[in-house]
């Protein structure tokens, strides 16, 4: 029963662990699936509906988590909604699945890095702490990258490089885009640390990594031209205007041709305006201004529109074009107001979400403490009950074992008592038989001595009455025959017992010969070597040799008594 209980507990622990790891693998698969189609919101929505349907059908929490996870990728421009979904996902998960916990902390860090940088770093550190403990890391290189970027934004470039290096060590060789991104980050840091040549070398290496790769994806191609724009910035810093213009134009021409990266044209136009102003190229300045005016309506982000209008206002101010300068100044005022409203609204929404999460988190912690207290009480009660059951079971088993042992000892005691009585009777009987045997042997010896004396007398005496001497010898021989008959009677009386003993001894020691068994009968009777020698017509020394050989065969030591061992065999 105890073994079954322990087995069940271990099985539950193993099943729970395996279940958790399998769920992590499932969420990783969902993340990979969504990431590949992230640009197509209708495909993401289809996966969301699929996972939600699974939950509605099975009521398995895993599918509720997976549906919420996919939902966090929908409507990417609605930051407050995404933050709310991620917080809800954290609450439902309740630290059960590491993949979800790490991902949520990571995503929250990215969402609030501009509005709440310190809180963003806290979420990032929490995700890193969990992921570092995993054997197969989920997001670790990306987390290091994000932390390096956080330090870069806060102008701690040396520490930023350390985390970019950590990220680089953890990326796979096949992650060419991310590896190139790390070298681009090294270049950006080196530029800020006034090491422009090193920055140029790093970014050239990163560009070459992507050039060496066949069939670049859209993201890889886009990033390669982003790095070319960065390379143009470094050459502008070195005042190598020709190369700077070359790389700036490569980037802008790619973005114009692609018709989907206009926001990057705006962000790079500032440096290009500076370059054209320094190199006295007014025609190219005017062409760039017209380009910005052309793409302004297609810009969706208010901040990018503000940057574009600010650049155009500055350009027209240099050209003393007051009319256009006023137009873009007015647009800039409207956009700044709109942007302030958006930022205020976003901050309010994020604050509401954060406050709501904090309140929920406090409630959850309070509820968790209550649940934890109950769980501890239940666990304590279970342990007490298990201890009582195990203790009672052990006591009952001990009692049962003691009872059986007592009964066995009683039976053994009765058997020993019975064996003792039988043994005492056998010993007394054997002693009597041995005594008679000794008397007969002594009588035989005396008779034989007298017989020998008579023979000697006959030999020495010349005048002997032959008839009388023969009669006397005949009488002596008759006495010897009677003694032998008595001895034979003794042996016959013991033959049945001796045969049983010899059979038992042969079963125990099958390697003993018939001669050995016969001598064991004598040794069992405690006959002396001299007495056995007389019976077997051998010397006492030969008897002692036989005894030593028999002891050796059955494994007895020199100090052990053979007769004592033989008398234990019944």
């Amino acid at each position: 029963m105890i073994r079954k209980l322990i087995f069940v507990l271990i099985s539950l622990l193993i099943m729970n662990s395996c279940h958790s790891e399998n769920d992590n693998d499932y969420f990783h698969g969902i993340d990979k699936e969504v990431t590949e189609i992230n640009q197509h919101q209708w495909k993401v929505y289809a996966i969301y509906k699929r996972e939600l349907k699974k939950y509605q059908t099975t009521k398995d929490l895993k599918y509720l988590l997976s549906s919420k996870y996919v939902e966090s990728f929908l409507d990417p421009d609605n930051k407050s909604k995404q933050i709310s979904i991620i917080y809800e996902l954290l609450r439902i998960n309740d630290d059960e699945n590491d993949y979800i916990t790490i991902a949520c902390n990571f995503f929250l860090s990215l969402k609030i890095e501009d509005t709440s940088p310190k809180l963003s770093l806290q979420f990032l550190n929490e995700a890193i702490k969990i992921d570092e403990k995993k054997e197969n890391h989920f997001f670790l290189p990306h987390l290091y990258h994000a932390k390096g970027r956080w330090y870069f934004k806060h102008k701690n470039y040396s520490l930023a490089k350390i985390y970019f290096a950590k990220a680089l060590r953890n990326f796979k060789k096949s992650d060419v885009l991310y590896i190139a991104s790390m070298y681009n980050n090294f270049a950006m840091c080196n530029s800020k640390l006034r090491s422009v040549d090193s920055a140029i070398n790093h970014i050239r290496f990163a560009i070459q990594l992507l050039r060496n790769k066949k069939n670049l994806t859209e993201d890889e191609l886009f990033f390669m031209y982003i790095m070319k724009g960065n390379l143009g910035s470094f050459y502008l810093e070195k005042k190598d205007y020709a190369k700077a213009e070359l790389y700036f134009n490569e980037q802008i021409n790619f973005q114009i041709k692609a018709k989907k990266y206009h926001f990057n044209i705006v962000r790079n136009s500032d440096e290009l305006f500076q370059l054209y102003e320094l190199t006295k190229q007014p025609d190219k300045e005017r062409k760039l201004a017209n380009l910005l005016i052309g793409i302004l309506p297609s810009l969706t982000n208010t901040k990018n529109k503000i940057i574009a209008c600010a650049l155009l206002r500055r350009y027209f101010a240099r050209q003393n074009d007051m009319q256009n300068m006023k137009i873009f100044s007015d647009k800039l005022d409207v956009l700044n107001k709109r942007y302030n409203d958006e930022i205020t609204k976003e901050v309010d929404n994020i604050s509401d979400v954060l406050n709501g999460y904090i309140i929920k988190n406090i409630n959850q912690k309070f509820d968790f403490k209550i649940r934890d207290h109950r769980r501890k009480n239940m666990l304590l009660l279970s342990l007490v009950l298990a201890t009582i059951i195990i203790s009672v079971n052990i006591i009952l088993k001990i009692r049962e074992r003691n009872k059986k042992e007592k009964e066995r000892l009683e039976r053994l005691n009765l058997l020993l008592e019975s064996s003792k009585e039988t043994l005492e009777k056998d010993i007394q009987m054997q002693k009597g038989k041995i005594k008679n045997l000794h008397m007969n042997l002594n009588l035989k010896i005396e008779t034989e001595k007298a017989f020998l004396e008579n023979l000697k007398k006959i030999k020495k005496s010349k005048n002997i009455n032959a008839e009388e001497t023969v009669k006397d010898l005949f009488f002596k021989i008759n006495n010897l025959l009677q003694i032998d008959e008595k001895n034979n009677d003794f042996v016959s009386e013991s033959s049945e017992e001796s045969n049983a003993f010899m059979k038992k001894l042969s079963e125990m020691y099958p390697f003993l010969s018939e001669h050995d068994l016969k001598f064991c009968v004598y040794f069992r009777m405690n006959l002396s070597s001299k007495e056995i020698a007389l019976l077997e017509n051998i010397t006492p020394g030969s008897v002692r040799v036989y005894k030593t050989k028999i002891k050796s065969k059955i494994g007895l030591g020199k100090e052990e008594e053979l007769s004592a061992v033989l008398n234990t065999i019944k």
Side-chain angles (χ1 to χ4, degrees):
M1 180 180 177
I2 299 171
R3 289 181 179 177
K4 288 182 179 179
L5 182 63
I6 294 171
F7 177 76
V8 169
L9 290 172
I10 293 173
S11 300
L12 287 173
L13 287 171
I14 293 172
M15 287 175 62
N16 184 60
S17 175
C18 293
H19 177 71
S20 178
E21 289 302 318
N22 290 337
D23 287 352
N24 283 328
D25 293 339
Y26 183 79
F27 298 134
H28 180 63
I30 291 290
D31 179 84
K32 187 176 180 181
E33 187 179 3
V34 172
T35 303
E36 290 174 354
I37 57 162
N38 196 23
Q39 300 298 325
H40 307 286
Q41 286 288 288
W42 64 273
K43 291 184 179 180
V44 177
Y45 184 74
I47 297 174
Y48 163 70
K49 294 295 290 183
R50 183 193 73 195
E51 295 302 304
L52 186 60
K53 187 177 180 180
K54 286 181 183 179
Y55 170 67
Q56 292 169 345
T57 304
T58 64
K59 299 301 178 184
D60 190 338
L61 184 64
K62 175 174 74 174
Y63 300 118
L64 176 60
L65 291 170
S66 63
S67 65
K68 283 287 180 186
Y69 187 80
V70 177
E71 189 181 5
S72 69
F73 288 87
L74 294 171
D75 200 4
D77 295 327
N78 193 338
K79 191 179 290 187
S80 59
K81 180 182 176 181
Q82 286 190 317
I83 291 173
S84 180
I85 292 170
I86 295 169
Y87 272 129
E88 182 67 12
L89 186 56
L90 264 179
R91 185 188 65 80
I92 296 170
N93 184 56
D94 195 23
D95 293 332
E96 184 68 25
N97 299 281
D98 288 337
Y99 191 92
I100 296 295
T101 304
I102 295 167
C104 288
N105 279 284
F106 183 25
F107 296 163
L108 283 172
S109 172
L110 298 178
K111 296 296 179 185
I112 64 173
E113 61 183 344
D114 294 325
T115 54
S116 303
K118 288 185 178 179
L119 186 58
S120 170
L121 185 60
Q122 288 179 21
F123 284 123
L124 198 54
N125 287 334
E126 181 64 21
I128 290 172
K129 183 177 72 174
I130 299 170
D131 209 355
E132 282 180 336
K133 294 177 182 177
K134 303 299 292 181
E135 184 177 352
N136 297 318
H137 305 303
F138 299 132
F139 295 93
L140 194 59
H142 301 287
L143 292 168
Y144 286 144
H145 179 195
K147 193 166 182 178
R149 193 177 65 207
W150 190 94
Y151 281 116
F152 182 86
K153 284 185 177 182
H154 292 82
K155 301 181 179 180
N156 192 338
Y157 306 117
S158 298
L159 202 52
K161 286 177 68 176
I162 290 173
Y163 279 96
F164 290 145
K166 282 188 174 185
L168 182 62
R169 286 196 297 271
N170 281 273
F171 279 122
K172 298 176 183 176
K173 289 184 178 180
S174 57
D175 296 328
V176 179
L177 177 60
Y178 297 121
I179 292 171
S181 176
M182 292 309 102
Y183 282 102
N184 177 69
N185 292 335
F186 291 146
M188 300 295 287
C189 290
N190 288 334
S191 173
K192 296 295 182 181
L193 294 169
R194 304 298 179 189
S195 181
V196 182
D197 289 334
S198 177
I200 290 172
N201 290 334
H202 274 108
I203 210 157
R204 280 187 173 280
F205 180 78
I207 291 171
Q208 192 60 44
L209 280 176
L210 291 178
R211 280 178 176 167
N212 293 338
K213 187 175 183 290
K214 295 180 180 179
N215 301 321
L216 292 178
T217 65
E218 185 178 335
D219 289 339
E220 290 169 339
L221 193 62
F222 166 73
F223 187 67
M224 186 171 72
Y225 280 98
I226 288 290
M227 290 192 293
K228 286 188 176 185
N230 293 337
L231 189 56
S233 298
F234 299 151
Y235 278 117
L236 179 61
E237 193 175 346
K238 286 194 71 173
K239 298 182 180 180
D240 188 339
Y241 301 129
K243 286 185 178 179
E245 184 177 356
L246 172 68
Y247 287 112
F248 281 140
N249 284 329
E250 277 193 39
Q251 182 188 27
I252 286 180
N253 289 335
F254 166 77
Q255 291 161 346
I256 292 171
K257 187 178 178 180
K259 297 180 181 179
K260 58 187 297 187
Y261 304 119
H262 290 165
F263 60 92
N264 272 311
I265 295 175
V266 173
R267 293 180 181 181
N268 293 318
S269 295
D270 185 20
E271 290 180 311
L272 202 50
F273 270 125
Q274 292 178 41
L275 184 130
Y276 290 149
E277 187 178 357
L278 290 168
T279 57
K280 309 298 181 183
Q281 300 185 72
D283 292 341
K284 291 183 179 179
E285 277 192 271
R286 184 169 57 256
K287 186 178 178 180
L288 180 59
N290 290 333
L291 176 62
L292 286 176
I293 293 169
I295 66 172
L296 187 60
S298 65
L299 296 175
T300 57
N301 186 279
T302 305
K303 189 175 181 180
N304 289 331
K305 286 185 176 183
I306 290 171
I307 295 171
C309 287
L311 290 173
L312 289 168
R313 184 181 67 175
R314 191 173 67 188
Y315 167 74
F316 286 120
R318 289 200 309 272
Q319 302 301 318
N320 292 318
D321 187 343
M322 296 303 164
Q323 184 180 355
N324 280 321
M325 187 185 78
K326 186 176 183 308
I327 290 171
F328 286 103
S329 292
D330 292 341
K331 285 185 177 182
L332 198 58
D333 289 339
V334 173
L335 289 170
N336 279 325
K337 186 177 182 305
R338 184 194 301 173
Y339 185 67
N340 288 334
D341 290 340
E342 288 176 358
I343 290 294
T344 302
K345 185 178 179 181
E346 183 180 344
V347 170
D348 288 342
N349 288 336
I350 291 174
S351 297
D352 289 341
V353 172
L354 289 175
N355 290 333
Y357 174 74
I358 290 169
I359 292 170
K360 283 183 180 179
N361 199 32
I362 291 171
N363 291 334
Q364 285 176 7
K365 286 181 179 178
F366 182 72
D367 292 340
F368 176 76
K369 285 181 180 179
I370 294 173
R371 290 198 306 270
D372 187 52
H373 187 66
R374 288 176 181 170
R375 194 182 299 117
K376 285 179 179 178
N377 287 340
M378 289 298 294
L379 180 61
L380 183 61
L381 182 60
S382 300
L383 287 173
V384 170
L385 288 174
T387 304
I388 291 172
I389 292 170
I390 292 169
S391 300
V392 169
N393 198 14
I394 291 171
I395 291 169
L396 290 175
K397 284 191 174 182
I398 290 172
R399 285 184 176 179
E400 185 179 354
R401 192 182 299 117
N402 289 342
K403 184 179 178 182
K404 288 181 179 179
E405 185 66 18
K406 185 178 179 182
E407 290 175 354
R408 189 184 70 81
L409 290 173
E410 288 177 352
R411 288 196 302 270
L412 184 62
N413 192 39
L414 290 172
L415 184 63
L416 288 173
E417 289 291 334
S418 175
S419 299
K420 183 180 178 182
E421 291 178 2
T422 305
L423 185 61
E424 287 177 350
K425 290 179 181 178
D426 287 346
I427 289 171
Q428 292 299 323
M429 183 178 68
Q430 292 298 332
K431 283 181 178 179
K433 290 179 180 179
I434 291 167
K435 185 177 179 181
N436 290 332
L437 183 62
H438 286 179
M439 290 174 63
N440 290 334
L441 286 172
N442 290 330
L443 182 59
K444 183 178 181 182
I445 291 167
E446 294 299 324
T447 305
E448 286 174 343
K449 286 180 180 179
F451 186 78
L452 289 171
E453 289 296 325
N454 285 334
L455 286 175
K456 288 178 182 179
K457 286 179 181 179
I458 292 172
K459 187 177 180 181
K460 290 178 181 181
S461 178
K462 294 180 179 179
N463 298 318
I464 186 170
N465 188 339
E467 186 177 351
E468 288 296 324
T469 303
V470 169
K471 283 182 180 181
D472 188 46
L473 289 173
F474 180 80
F475 177 75
K476 296 285 192 266
I477 290 169
N478 190 47
N479 284 340
L480 289 172
L481 288 172
Q482 287 179 359
I483 291 169
D484 286 336
E485 187 177 353
K486 287 180 181 180
N487 289 338
N488 288 332
D489 290 341
F490 170 73
V491 172
S492 296
E493 289 173 9
S494 304
S495 61
E496 186 176 347
E497 180 185 351
S498 297
N499 288 336
F501 168 74
M502 290 170 69
K503 184 178 179 183
K504 181 70 174 179
L505 190 63
S506 178
E507 290 174 357
M508 293 176 65
Y509 307 106
F511 44 80
L512 293 176
S513 65
E514 289 292 330
H515 202 57
D516 293 335
L517 296 173
K518 183 178 179 182
F519 271 83
C520 285
V521 173
Y522 293 144
F523 296 137
R524 184 168 175 256
M525 295 177 181
N526 282 320
L527 296 182
S528 66
S529 298
K530 187 176 180 181
E531 291 168 341
I532 297 171
L534 288 171
L535 288 172
E536 291 297 317
N537 196 25
I538 58 176
T539 64
S542 298
V543 174
R544 286 190 289 272
V545 170
Y546 277 118
K547 188 173 185 179
T548 302
K549 287 182 179 180
I550 291 170
K551 284 177 70 175
S552 176
K553 284 183 179 182
I554 63 177
L556 295 182
K558 291 182 178 180
E559 303 300 325
E560 293 182 87
E561 287 292 335
L562 179 59
S563 59
V565 174
L566 294 175
N567 275 306
T568 60
I569 300 172
K570 299 297 179 183

